[in-house]
Amino acid sequence: MKWEENIRQVVPYVPGEQPDRPGMVKLNTNECPYPPAPGVKKALEEFDHTELRLYPDPDASILTEALADYYKVKKEQVFVGVGSDDVLAIAFMTFFNGGRPILFPDITYSFYDVWAGLYRIPYKEIPLREDFSIAPGDYHIENGGIIFPNPNAPTGILENLEMIEDIVSANPDVVVIVDEAYIDFGGESALPLLNKYDNLLVVQTFSKSRAMAGMRIGFAIGNKKLISYMNDVKFSFNSYTMDRITQRLGAAAVKDEVYFRETLAKIIKTREWAKEKLSELGFVFGDSKSNFIFASHKEKRAEEIFSYLRSKDIFVRYFKKPRIDNYLRISIGTDEEMRTLVRELTAFLGRRNEVE
Ligand SMILES: *Cc1c(COP(=O)(O)O)cnc(C)c1O
């Protein structure tokens, strides 16, 4: 068709499937297995539906203020969006606007190359080392911006602040985005570096550690100038992105720190238990500091294990991509879900049932 010459054709991101089967064990999209904070439930129950006739606050002030308070920054340093995917999309549009290629790891969140394609941003993928760690020296080249997750996805590998600082300080003329979707599960945030560097943007999400994937909340923290440029783009695109209910519930989640800490501690404990069991079953993996384990088996192909688990209604994530096509990404569920997983894996791998 002739009209096809005039349209924007893109290769879209493929989100993890969202099956809904009774009794399934869903360990494929890194959601939190526990509910959001009790304060969120209360805020939802108290929400007055008649408010919905009015537009929401375009600045989402109650949420940006709650986040500014929590992270001890000014509210002008906080940008909120409809999931961190929304925040990242705006950040790509705002900061990656030069002619030089932006840089990100070859194995990373698979949305980055999609946004680069959508916005026609040239990019260069920098290979991770054999052990999936980032070699910071590889980012000391001419570029139009840098983005990587820490811990990285889907590897779960955490980099230390020294490494992050090396990259940020070596690239003062471009914006460096650290996507901290999994930082709460045992990592050290790059937020303190904001005092030293004005080219750093830290992005986080409520989808994993705050158990609110279904609500869609993400945020960025950076210096005021970066955030005001992001707001200019946002307000040129869609000003009322976050609805009233989300703003209210998001603020309630941030205020319940005790519940947040308890939930994280439970997930981390389960993760360490799962590491032991998976290793006994012959899996090998790096030391994940996220809410998933990225594992490969010494004998069985990942794809085969994936299909078997699926037949048992246990969903994990498998990426048929170079370098990682023999790995499974397994989200950390409840203790019971993880025991079910280990039981099925034990059965499949033909070993003695070692789960008590
Ligand atoms: C889950 C994830 C996101 C997106 O999270 P939402 O806030 O749900 O949009 C962004 N980056 C990475 C690395 C993720 O794993």
Side-chain angles (χ1 to χ4, degrees), residues 115-188:
W115 284 312
L118 174 65
Y119 299 133
R120 315 278 193 254
I121 303 165
Y123 65 91
K124 186 167 181 225
E125 293 171 307
I126 308 291
L128 292 177
R129 295 190 185 109
E130 209 49 48
D131 65 357
F132 293 156
S133 62
I134 289 178
D138 292 353
Y139 293 79
H140 293 201
I141 56 172
E142 249 221 327
N143 67 77
I146 294 171
I147 180 161
F148 55 88
N150 191 43
N152 197 4
T155 65
I157 304 298
L158 177 78
E159 301 290 348
N160 61 32
L161 274 199
E162 233 170 273
M163 199 290 295
I164 311 274
E165 182 160 10
D166 178 282
I167 292 180
V168 177
S169 65
N171 291 280
D173 300 337
V174 297
V175 175
V176 177
I177 303 176
V178 184
D179 179 352
E180 294 189 335
Y182 303 102
I183 200 69
D184 296 324
F185 300 102
E188 196 182 349

Side-chain angles (χ1 to χ4, degrees), residues 44-58:
L44 184 60
E45 284 162 0
E46 287 171 359
F47 186 83
D48 171 10
H49 79 285
T50 63
E51 265 188 49
L52 290 177
R53 72 192 177 78
L54 299 169
Y55 279 109
D57 170 12

Side-chain angles (χ1 to χ4, degrees), residues 259-326:
Y259 180 85
F260 179 53
R261 296 285 153 210
E262 281 171 4
T263 305
L264 291 174
K266 275 199 283 188
I267 294 167
I268 291 169
K269 190 160 171 244
T270 308
R271 177 186 73 203
E272 298 309 310
W273 177 88
K275 281 180 184 170
E276 255 173 59
K277 293 294 165 189
L278 289 175
S279 152
E280 285 167 21
L281 284 166
F283 284 92
V284 283
F285 41 84
D287 186 24
S288 168
K289 293 288 182 208
S290 60
N291 67 339
F292 57 85
I293 297 171
F294 194 57
S296 153
H297 193 265
K298 287 182 195 150
E299 287 140 31
K300 283 269 187 235
R301 296 288 307 169
E303 196 167 13
E304 233 185 290
I305 304 173
F306 171 77
S307 306
Y308 173 79
L309 290 175
R310 220 186 134 91
S311 73
K312 299 288 172 188
D313 275 352
I314 298 174
F315 296 86
V316 299
R317 192 91 193 258
Y318 172 70
F319 301 94
K320 207 171 188 136
K321 286 187 173 175
R323 290 188 77 183
I324 57 170
D325 63 354
N326 199 23

Side-chain angles (χ1 to χ4, degrees), residues 35-42 66 70 206 209-210 249-264:
V40 173
K41 181 167 188 269
K42 188 158 170 279
Y70 186 85
F206 282 42
S209 56
R210 292 188 185 273
L249 272 51
V254 179
K255 286 176 181 150
D256 204 335
E257 175 155 23
V258 174
Y259 180 85
F260 179 53
R261 296 285 153 210
E262 281 171 4
T263 305
L264 291 174

